[in-house]
Amino acid sequence: MKIYSDLAFSLRLLRNTPVLTVMTVIVIVLGLSLYLASYSLVKMLSDKPMPFPSGDRYVTLKTINSGIGDFDFSSNAYDQFTYQRLKNRSENYAHLGAYRSDSFVLSDEEYSKRVVGASISAELFSALSIEPLLGRLFERDIDNSAEDGVVIISYSVWQDYYAGNMDIIGEVAEIDGRFLNVIGVMPEDFRFPTSHEVWFPLQLDQAIEPGRGFQLTVIGVLNPGVTHAAAELELNALLAELTSENPELYSGRTELVRPYASSASTVTLGFNEALTFITLIILMLGVLNLSSLLLIRSISREQEMAVRSSLGASNLQLAKQLLFESFLICSGGLILSFVALAVLLPWLGLQLENGQNGNLPFWYEFKLTSQVVLTGCLCTLAIWMASSSVVIYRVCRTDSNRALLGATKGGDALSRALVTRFTVGVEVILSCFLLVLCGAAIYFTSQITNTDYGVRTEQVISANFSLEHPDYETDEAKLLYLENTQQSITESAGVTNVAYTTSLPSSTGLIGNYFIEGRNVDVNVPLPSQWPIWVSENYFHALDVELIHGRFFTDSDNARSESVIIIDEVLAKKLWPDTSAIGKRVVSIVDEREQIVTVVGVISGILQTPNVNVGNPDVFYRPLTQDTPARFSLVATLQQNYSESDFSQTMRRIANQVDRNIPVENVQMLKSYLIKNQGGYGSIADLFLLFSIGTLLLATIGVYSVVARSVSERTSEIGIRRALGSTNQRIFFKFLKQSIRYLAAGIVLGIAPAAFIVGADPSVFLMSDNIIFLPQLCLLVLLFMAFLFTLASYVPARKAILLEPADALRYE
Amino acid sequence: MSKESLISLEGIQKIFYTDEIETWALDEIHLDVKQGEYLSIAGPSGCGKSTLLSVMGLLNSSTEGKYFLAGEDVASLNSTAQARVRNRQIGFIFQAFNLIGDMNVFENVELPLTYRKELKRKERKAKVQEALEKVDMAHRLNHFPSQLSGGQQQRVAIARALTGDPKVLLADEPTGNLDSKNAQIVMDLLGDLHKQGSTICMVTHDPRSALQAERQITLFDGKIVDDQPTANLRVDSEALVS
Ligand SMILES: Nc1ncnc2c1ncn2[C@@H]1O[C@H](COP(=O)(O)OP(=O)(O)OP(=O)(O)O)[C@@H](O)[C@H]1O
Ligand SMILES: [Mg+2]
């Protein structure tokens, strides 16, 4: 009965102060849902345990190569030699394996399809202890001689591509032109190592030299009790050995051992920490706002509390009443946060999925998991206790006689003013700090998402295909395929300007080296890198890239004529600052093949990296008629009334006509390709935007309510001052002056440290060292705060001034 | 309006409008207070005493009527000009002291002076010192109100009302929150101030305090129902005692 009457009383109080109640709940919902969203995101990106036996012991190895560019890139690519050495020598792993990821084309009589697959250590595959649905796993590789000519397929490949054929085991599947025996079908939902769907046994070359051959991703299962730090120590000791054997290849490297969940994310080192840090501060801001709002409640109830205490309520009983009330608010907020998350998380998942072509790692889960719910409850408990303790402290400290004697003004104002000053100060400092960080994050991401690639993207469609097939060993065969396809597409209505490239804007392919003919080459300095991209003669024209000097490629650039390249303006300026680049000769080294090439054209420039902040690499555009690689992208311009799906259908038909073994994939508008190629930065940008809006709201509510409260708390003081003859302007001026003091604290303790963090290591925020915007951002935050302060002081001060002085004096 | 009147109220009405209820707090008040007069205002609770004092102190505007202070029609001034009048010509003493909690004694007393541009720091300091000596609180300059007793707080409040050398002191139950000993100290203080020439209007419930004044008006339901020198009352009460 007691509980019931307490509940009724608390609810009545909450209902009587709707604005305060709603604000308090908003503050909790914002803080909690932002924190929990980022918590589950970071968990997925960094250290979520795998759903296998001893899944928390799964790790991935990473390397930091310092000294390449300005940023410490972490890479998870290991060459075969290094991997085999680590595997043979390290002792900390129950299993250590590797895989090589690639895409593969399934073909049969009707149509072909590209899927993501992995060549994977048989040992690792077995270590998962997952039984195949049909058939068997790979035989364990004894002495590294793997079973050959076999494939295991996923449930969905079996169902979708092989129509759930029950006799699939033992059937022959044509994959990339090879004929393989299907030996197993994995259970539904099994995708490993990230989102792969077909598996081959990994074949390694025992005699390979360091640094050669294809690269591997290394996965390990640590022995029980081995920490990540211990494993890192061992790896770096092994690395030191390797470095002494081969300093050129290994120096400057550091090995990291990270939870397996971090293997799929390409974000920069420190991103997760930065995100966690920001959201923790958001949560702190939430707690602070909550405490100050609860404090406001309790202060307005001081009189009531004093009466209760004079009637014999103990401090404990008073505290219980307050705790109960804040518990109601907190748990209401928690429930609403869960509702918000149930909407927010799937939305985030959709954003990420769109950003990554639908291939999300299998452990990504965008829903309210029991862990998120548990964390939410624990957080709320902590928030509730933290914010209530402040309130209880005040209630117990308040001298009830003074509160009852309330008639004497000024008696206890000192401690109250101190509390208020403290909350306003901390609130302003935290808000300034967060707003600068969020602003910087938005700026960096928007820089990436609004990148100008230097090409026309309107109405441009793109598609990918690969001629890695036994039928296309020769350049002639490849060129014939390209020509046939181009002709068929052009003949079909609705498309113009069909052109080819090996790398669309925002990406690069092969890497090589070069030096300028005739210039002295210093043998101690590594040769500069170049990224060759092969394009068809009409490619630049098709994308409206401007020719600055010389010429585009023509028919006459062929295998028998002189080898030619086109470079962009920036590179031309860099290599030949004083003369024209046209006619200059460069020695190009790609795959150990040295070749003299002549510059015949200079173009305005295409951005070949997804991140404008990293800077364009040195790209040599080469005519694909002079030597012809195997993987291509196609670009074409759609006519106005012709849609993406129209083209998609036409393209599929044409591809089947020209050669049904060569599927054409990823038909999409160039624009969406470019967004996707930003590796999820688009969705990160959305995420940051969401966080920033949340923070802005939190800061606005928080600063406004504490400042407004601090002013309205002084309504009677305003009355006194007016009774003593202060003019209204003078009173406004006084509050303005006080705001300036808080703003100064905000600058020194909030804006400056945040600016320092952003300025000192902008790479934590998405690889950028471009911080020219920082002063403007700081100023913007300051102006916003100043505006908020002025408003929050003006409104209640005006209200107090509109009262007659006698009424203001009476005001509680 | 007689020439030597400091305060002259003509037909003052004050109506409070709350939730469609009209409260006639003051109704047709005519009152003249001479320079140097000590007036006490009496009457039952809720009869309008505080409201009358607020109107005289320009803390409440009147709904109807004219108010002349030293010959000036102060009721019709704008708010800035009224603030100036409050600052220079009126000193207010409240029942609830109304000191500002996060200012110390010196700052509280100095406050009205800070609203005057012509005073230099030194002059202000001297005036504050002088006022505090008058109320015997000069030794507590750096204390905060919460560190003072009620009587001490009220003495500081009186010092604050005095520093500006106002033409009239308005006191609303200045002893209402004080015990009899402290009340006596405050009353003596007001008596001394009156002897030195101050004009005082004081609301009080305490008949003994009222006897210190020269003249008493009695309000009932917002109207003045009685107005006579306290000498008469003294006779009455002496008669009662004997
Ligand atoms: N701000 C206000 N709003 C509405 N009514 C008011 C207001 N202030 C005073 N009143 C009303 O005006 C009348 C006179 O109030 P006032 O405070 O002047 O009484 P008082 O004579 O000072 O009483 P007390 O001796 O109890 O202090 C009362 O009926 C009161 O309810
Ligand atoms: Mg009164």
Side-chain angles (χ1 to χ4, degrees), chain A residues 807 810, chain B residues 16-18 23-25 43-52 60 95 172-173 203 205:
Chain A
D807 294 334
R810 210 185 280 261
Chain B
F16 290 107
Y17 300 94
T18 40
T23 312
W24 288 64
S45 177
C47 66
K49 304 182 295 292
S50 296
T51 310
L52 178 61
N60 262 341
Q95 176 178 1
D172 190 352
E173 297 186 44
V203 171
H205 276 299

Side-chain angles (χ1 to χ4, degrees), chain A residues 159-173:
Chain A
Q159 285 295 315
D160 300 346
Y161 193 74
Y162 294 107
N165 175 7
M166 286 309 289
D167 301 322
I168 186 78
I169 303 301
E171 288 281 298
V172 169

Side-chain angles (χ1 to χ4, degrees), chain B residues 140-167:
Chain B
R140 289 288 165 92
L141 287 185
N142 294 317
H143 281 60
F144 284 91
S146 55
Q147 297 161 335
L148 299 177
S149 76
Q152 288 171 325
Q153 287 188 49
Q154 191 60 305
R155 273 145 64 194
V156 172
I158 293 173
R160 183 178 64 184
L162 290 177
T163 40
D165 300 322
K167 290 209 169 79

Side-chain angles (χ1 to χ4, degrees), chain A residues 19-29 289-290 293-294 297 329 701:
Chain A
V19 177
L20 201 57
T21 305
V22 168
M23 283 215 296
T24 317
V25 171
I26 289 180
V27 159
I28 300 175
V29 172
N289 283 351
L290 186 64
L293 287 170
L294 288 179
R297 288 195 95 82
I329 297 181
I701 293 180

